[in-house]
Amino acid sequence: MSTRSKIINSRDTRYGIDDGSLFRTLTTSKGIRKIITLSASYYNSLDPAGSEDTTQKMMRPRFLQMVVLLLSLLNNGDLEGISDFLEATYGLRAARRDLELLFLKVIPLISINSRVFLESMVPAFEGHPLLDELDTKSHACQSHFWNTFVCQILQADYLLPGTIDDLGANVIVTNGSKYSISSSDLEKITCLQEGVYTVRESRTNGKVYDLNIQEVALNKEHRDAIKKTNEIIAVLNPGIAKFRNSNQGRTLTRLTPFRGRNTTALGFLDAYTSSGRLTKHMAYLNADTLATAYKIEGRKLHMIDCIRNMSQDLTRLQALMRLIENRTSVMDLKRFSNERRHLRLALDEIRDLMALADGIRENLRDTVEIADEPVAKVLYPQGPDLRDPDVWIEYDIWYTVSDKMCHVEAKRAVVSGVNWLSNEVVDVRLRGDETHFYATPLKTVNEVSREEEVEIGDVVLLAGQVLIVAEKVDDWEIDIGVAVGSDEDGADEEHERGAIYSMTNNLKITGVEEVRLRRRGRNRSSGQGRGNLGQRTETIFR
């Protein structure tokens, strides 16, 4: 996710393989633009007019996923070059902010944590970064920013149900067991942040356990050795300067080229910096080790790369030690013998630390690799396996800035029946209609909290793939003019009255099953207002 802004604002965008010494370009943003254009021509040729060939219909979902992936790699300049083509061919809103929302829906974009995700998502959508003084680390602030983002995209006619607090879910950990965890802990556990987290078995009256994540520094000894080495360099460089200004030093400098010695023997040394702090993170649950990961300055890296970094740092430190010894041997004169004695003692301490660091590196070579994340899979509620899962119920939505109201024009009805098939699937029946609407909560619920999701008598709206549970919170009344057929002088003004609702919950519609009635059944239900459900009604939300 953190690369979105870089891709968007880049000019000469290249994609390829970086092997360390050479970057090998495979394609560019301009090349991807041509691929999208050519592939669309092929796609359109699969379903010629008048043909009964269904190839295009079968390929459509995967093809559009490929198009979305390729579009995410275009910079602004190349995107503008095919914006008209995208709108005419695929009916896509080709503006950058609209496409970024499409990428969020189709592509599983991830970040090392939610703060980086928010700080990357806002510039991609809004075109400007978050203010520096804003606190994006706390869960409460992140929830506020996300909910603000949901309200902002509502003004662009995008409806995204749910909040940060709805993200609590069941998970399968790497030992195959299922547990329930909170939304605030899911990210920390996935990122292997040190601490103790409470998890509960995903069953009725499930037991509660502690998931313990520990952090161990891998290169502490090496970093201590670097610190002592830099302290030696800080003392040694002034001694080198003093020696070079002495008669012996000037004589040695003058004779060095003719003796074939290393002319850098009297050169100053630079302070040494390591590649970064290396840590090992382990997740334990009961007697099981769920995951082990390695990080450098908080960024995850492979175990092989961790060993390589440790080896490179040790090699560089050994080379620096030889340079220090070379300079102390050159300065081995009576007037500098005291400084040299202290340097020798310090160098012995550094060698002991390097030996310990090398032992840790060797032990790491023999480590058996396991999963680098304790959560193997997040279980999101799924609907029943129906033959026609492509559910979509037409609706319109708009936002009025003047009164900060959300207007939804969709089918509205009252719930007449609720039948929970499981903790993840509920069969909802609506008054005046015999259709079964199978809906799934945004998070798994238990038997106790089922009534909080949906119950008989609730007012619901059918919008796209979402079943919106609405609750009346206020009345509104506006003047619409003089009543028809009355005297203009003494006539009362006619008022239009209605209700203002609040979205109390959202469920995803995962299936629709229509019940075929016999003729008698159809006759009996003909007067129950079934046709009213087919009409869309405007509902105002605060």
Side-chain angles (χ1 to χ4, degrees):
M1 187 66 192
S2 59
T3 60
R4 293 304 309 147
S5 294
K6 296 179 181 179
I7 293 175
I8 292 170
N9 300 315
S10 62
R11 295 185 178 180
D12 183 15
T13 313
R14 298 178 177 272
Y15 299 95
I17 302 173
D18 187 0
D19 58 10
S21 59
L22 180 66
F23 182 81
R24 306 177 187 275
T25 301
L26 298 178
T27 187
T28 63
S29 179
K30 290 183 175 59
I32 293 175
R33 184 183 68 181
K34 293 181 180 179
I35 292 174
I36 295 174
T37 305
L38 294 175
S39 61
S41 301
Y42 171 72
Y43 171 73
N44 293 334
S45 67
L46 293 177
D47 193 13
S51 174
E52 296 181 357
D53 189 2
T54 60
T55 305
Q56 189 186 74
K57 183 178 180 180
M58 296 173 57
M59 289 183 55
R60 180 180 178 83
R62 294 187 180 276
F63 179 86
L64 292 180
Q65 289 175 358
M66 180 198 70
V67 170
V68 172
L69 176 61
L70 293 176
L71 287 174
S72 68
L73 303 178
L74 295 180
N75 57 35
N76 275 338
D78 292 314
L79 177 61
E80 291 175 0
I82 60 171
S83 58
D84 293 338
F85 165 79
L86 293 175
E87 293 181 359
T89 306
Y90 299 112
L92 295 176
R93 294 184 181 181
R96 169 60 68 179
R97 61 182 347 214
D98 294 309
L99 288 179
E100 289 300 322
L101 290 177
L102 179 62
F103 301 155
L104 284 173
K105 179 176 181 178
V106 177
I107 304 174
L109 297 171
I110 61 174
S111 293
I112 59 174
N113 56 51
S114 56
R115 177 180 60 83
V116 174
F117 187 90
L118 285 173
E119 292 178 350
S120 304
M121 178 191 68
V122 172
F125 177 76
E126 297 287 356
H128 58 80
L130 288 170
L131 298 178
D132 294 336
E133 60 266 21
L134 295 178
D135 179 19
T136 57
K137 294 182 180 180
S138 68
H139 178 77
C141 289
Q142 291 176 5
S143 179
H144 169 72
F145 293 143
W146 177 257
N147 294 336
T148 301
F149 169 74
V150 171
C151 293
Q152 288 178 337
I153 66 175
L154 180 61
Q155 300 180 32
D157 300 340
Y158 289 101
L159 177 62
L160 181 59
T163 63
I164 289 289
D165 297 329
D166 293 323
L167 297 179
N170 291 343
V171 300
I172 298 179
V173 295
T174 52
N175 66 359
S177 302
K178 295 182 180 180
Y179 295 93
S180 296
I181 59 178
S182 68
S183 60
S184 58
D185 289 343
L186 176 59
E187 175 190 330
K188 297 176 183 178
I189 294 174
T190 303
C191 297
L192 287 173
Q193 183 174 326
E194 188 176 22
V196 179
Y197 304 94
T198 301
V199 299
R200 180 188 294 273
E201 290 179 329
S202 296
R203 59 182 178 85
T204 305
N205 299 324
K207 295 182 179 180
V208 177
Y209 297 97
D210 286 338
L211 193 156
N212 190 3
I213 297 180
Q214 298 178 1
E215 176 183 316
V216 178
L218 290 177
N219 61 343
K220 180 181 182 300
E221 291 76 10
H222 180 260
R223 291 168 65 87
D224 290 343
I226 292 176
K227 181 180 179 181
K228 291 182 177 295
T229 302
N230 289 334
E231 292 174 353
I232 291 176
I233 292 175
V235 174
L236 184 60
N237 281 340
I240 293 175
K242 184 167 63 173
F243 179 75
R244 289 172 63 174
N245 291 328
S246 65
N247 292 331
Q248 294 88 345
R250 285 193 292 268
T251 301
L252 181 61
T253 303
R254 184 172 63 254
L255 297 178
T256 293
F258 301 99
R259 293 181 179 179
R261 296 173 63 91
N262 182 8
T263 58
T264 63
L266 296 179
F268 297 114
L269 297 175
D270 295 327
Y272 175 59
T273 56
S274 71
S275 58
R277 180 173 180 267
L278 292 170
T279 52
K280 181 179 180 180
H281 302 254
M282 297 153 289
Y284 301 101
L285 182 60
N286 297 331
D288 295 332
T289 302
L290 299 181
T292 300
Y294 303 88
K295 297 182 181 181
I296 178 169
E297 297 295 340
R299 302 187 305 274
K300 188 181 293 185
L301 76 166
H302 197 273
M303 186 180 72
I304 298 299
D305 295 326
C306 182
I307 297 174
R308 183 182 297 112
N309 282 1
M310 297 176 71
S311 300
Q312 291 175 350
D313 283 344
L314 284 172
T315 301
R316 291 173 58 193
L317 189 56
Q318 290 170 354
L320 185 57
M321 293 280 288
R322 289 192 293 269
L323 292 177
I324 293 175
E325 292 175 340
N326 186 23
R327 281 151 178 76
T328 56
S329 64
V330 171
M331 297 167 56
D332 193 9
L333 302 174
K334 289 184 178 180
R335 61 183 298 182
F336 297 104
S337 60
N338 188 44
E339 289 88 343
R340 184 176 179 277
R341 190 181 305 110
H342 288 295
L343 289 175
R344 284 293 182 187
L345 293 175
L347 289 174
D348 289 340
E349 294 182 11
I350 294 175
R351 290 190 185 93
D352 292 340
L353 290 172
M354 292 176 61
L356 293 174
D358 191 54
I360 295 175
R361 181 179 64 90
E362 290 298 327
N363 291 335
L364 198 59
R365 291 179 182 273
D366 300 329
T367 302
V368 178
E369 286 191 84
I370 60 175
D372 61 357
E373 290 185 4
V375 177
K377 184 178 182 181
V378 178
L379 299 176
Y380 293 102
Q382 299 292 330
D385 185 14
L386 300 179
R387 294 184 179 180
D388 186 16
D390 299 328
V391 178
W392 185 261
I393 303 173
E394 294 295 334
Y395 73 101
D396 287 323
I397 183 172
W398 64 94
Y399 182 84
T400 52
V401 181
S402 58
D403 55 4
K404 296 182 179 180
M405 296 291 187
C406 172
H407 302 254
V408 180
E409 186 178 272
K411 297 178 181 178
R412 188 174 69 193
V414 177
V415 176
S416 61
V418 175
N419 179 27
W420 284 90
L421 305 179
S422 67
N423 286 341
E424 299 180 350
V425 181
V426 56
D427 176 9
V428 179
R429 303 284 293 276
L430 303 179
R431 185 180 300 169
D433 194 272
E434 298 295 332
T435 304
H436 293 261
F437 292 91
Y438 297 99
T440 300
L442 298 183
K443 59 183 179 182
T444 303
V445 298
N446 54 39
E447 295 182 6
V448 178
S449 59
R450 286 178 176 179
E451 292 184 356
E452 298 179 2
E453 296 295 319
V454 62
E455 59 182 349
I456 296 175
D458 282 344
V459 177
V460 297
L461 277 73
L462 308 176
Q465 293 182 332
V466 180
L467 188 147
I468 303 173
V469 181
E471 180 180 357
K472 181 181 176 181
V473 294
D474 201 356
D475 294 312
W476 59 264
E477 181 179 278
I478 60 174
D479 298 332
I480 60 174
V482 179
V484 179
S486 55
D487 244 347
E488 189 169 337
D489 291 335
D492 293 330
E493 289 187 341
E494 186 176 350
H495 300 281
E496 183 177 350
R497 294 176 176 84
I500 298 177
Y501 290 84
S502 173
M503 294 185 187
T504 60
N505 195 21
N506 298 277
L507 297 91
K508 182 179 180 181
I509 302 175
T510 54
V512 175
E513 183 180 11
E514 293 187 0
V515 178
R516 293 187 176 182
L517 298 177
R518 294 181 303 169
R519 184 177 61 185
R520 288 186 179 182
R522 289 197 299 268
N523 292 336
R524 285 196 299 264
S525 63
S526 60
Q528 296 179 2
R530 180 173 180 174
N532 294 332
L533 187 60
Q535 299 175 358
R536 296 195 301 186
T537 305
E538 179 182 348
T539 306
I540 302 176
F541 290 95
R542 176 182 295 168

